[in-house]
Amino acid sequence: MKHQPTQSPQFFLTAPSPCPYVDGQFERKVFTHLVGDRAPELNDLLTQGGFRRSQNIAYRPACESCRACVSVRILVDEFEPSRNMKRITARNADLIGAEHEAEPSTEQYSLFRTYLDSRHKRGGMSDMTVLDYAMMVEDTHVQTKIIEYRRRGPDSFITGKGEGELIAVALTDRMGDGLSMVYSFFNPELEDRSLGTFMILDHIARARSAGLPHVYLGYWVNGSRKMAYKVRFGPQEHLGPKGWERYDQGSGHP
């Protein structure tokens, strides 16, 4: 009998493994492949349903005894930067982000390795080779861009590009309802610039300029110091049992 390819995605479940965010817990993920002509449409639907993309895989937590991971998206049209965020924007006014096709470079990998060795020595990505990095960037069937941040040059207003050393990089998916920040990294020696915050602020500005209502930040875990920064960008929505609900940082509840 001739096999007919299915139009519906197939989902798989990983085996339990120690959780990197909550001590004593074990994580499991449900995942599917993002390939073919329908990948962009499927990525939109799954991201709105709390999935994240890694290469050609879309995944979300499916832990048996924990619901700590919460999907977060910023409400772009209502976002108002805090005074500190305005200072960070001003501090990085000499930077410009140039958008490129999702193609890796040795310069990107060098900055990526410096970032990992400084910030995530024991993380799951710590042993990534240049080939692993290339796969992270290139292995996509959706609309993915690389944004490279460099200092402004005299002709940046014409070329849309900066000059000099590469300071920060964002790997970003453009979807029908927003931008999804897949991964970002930066020069860890420039700590006073708060480049992680700056890149999120830049993505909010890019989404607003494109008429897109959301910036997706991935998962937030209440109590995790690594992820505490995500709830500073309000107003935002969190995905819960009732769907996307507005989140009030002050109360800690929708």
Side-chain angles (χ1 to χ4, degrees):
M1 185 173 67
K2 185 177 179 181
H3 175 71
Q4 296 293 333
T6 178
Q7 294 298 311
S8 300
Q10 291 183 299
F11 291 89
F12 307 90
L13 189 63
T14 65
S17 61
C19 177
Y21 300 109
V22 181
D23 291 340
Q25 292 288 348
F26 287 83
E27 67 171 357
R28 301 189 78 178
K29 295 185 178 102
V30 59
F31 69 94
T32 189
H33 295 277
L34 289 171
V35 294
D37 295 339
R38 292 188 60 216
E41 174 190 355
L42 181 60
N43 187 48
D44 278 21
L45 290 171
L46 291 177
T47 301
Q48 292 161 11
F51 280 71
R52 290 288 283 168
R53 185 183 72 81
S54 177
Q55 298 178 215
N56 66 359
I57 297 290
Y59 68 91
R60 67 167 295 171
C63 307
E64 296 174 357
S65 60
C66 180
R67 296 293 181 269
C69 292
V70 179
S71 293
V72 175
R73 67 185 185 187
I74 301 166
L75 296 171
V76 168
D77 292 338
E78 298 181 57
F79 173 77
E80 291 289 342
S82 66
R83 281 182 293 181
N84 182 57
M85 290 174 183
K86 290 178 181 178
R87 285 194 291 268
I88 291 170
T89 298
R91 198 178 303 145
N92 291 285
D94 61 331
L95 300 186
I96 185 169
E99 189 175 287
H100 305 279
E101 296 301 317
E103 297 176 353
S105 70
T106 54
E107 188 181 23
Q108 290 169 17
Y109 179 71
S110 178
L111 180 61
F112 177 70
R113 275 262 47 106
T114 299
Y115 173 78
L116 289 183
D117 292 343
S118 174
R119 296 293 185 96
H120 302 286
K121 274 188 177 180
R122 295 182 178 86
M125 303 172 76
S126 61
D127 59 350
M128 285 181 65
T129 67
V130 65
L131 293 178
D132 294 328
Y133 174 77
M135 287 293 289
M136 182 178 81
V137 174
E138 290 180 325
D139 195 2
T140 174
H141 292 252
V142 303
Q143 190 175 351
T144 304
K145 301 291 184 181
I146 278 275
I147 304 173
E148 294 186 342
Y149 296 87
R150 304 175 191 268
R151 288 184 174 87
R152 291 180 183 274
D155 297 324
S156 289
F157 69 99
I158 296 174
T159 64
K161 298 179 181 179
E163 293 182 353
E165 67 172 322
L166 186 63
I167 289 174
V169 173
L171 183 65
T172 303
D173 289 345
R174 175 163 178 163
M175 305 183 307
D177 74 329
L179 300 177
S180 177
M181 298 185 70
V182 177
Y183 196 77
S184 60
F185 52 95
F186 51 84
N187 185 338
E189 294 182 1
L190 303 177
E191 191 170 351
D192 60 326
R193 283 183 175 269
S194 301
L195 289 165
T197 295
F198 170 70
M199 282 191 281
I200 295 175
L201 294 171
D202 182 64
H203 277 69
I204 293 170
R206 288 171 183 270
R208 182 174 287 155
S209 178
L212 299 171
H214 304 119
V215 171
Y216 288 85
L217 295 182
Y219 301 117
W220 169 69
V221 177
N222 193 5
S224 169
R225 292 179 60 189
K226 293 180 182 178
M227 297 191 180
Y229 71 93
K230 294 188 178 183
V231 292
R232 299 193 346 249
F233 298 86
Q236 59 185 230
E237 292 180 328
H238 290 188
L239 184 60
K242 298 178 182 178
W244 289 99
E245 295 184 290
R246 196 181 186 92
Y247 175 81
D248 179 0
Q249 185 181 3
S251 68
H253 296 285

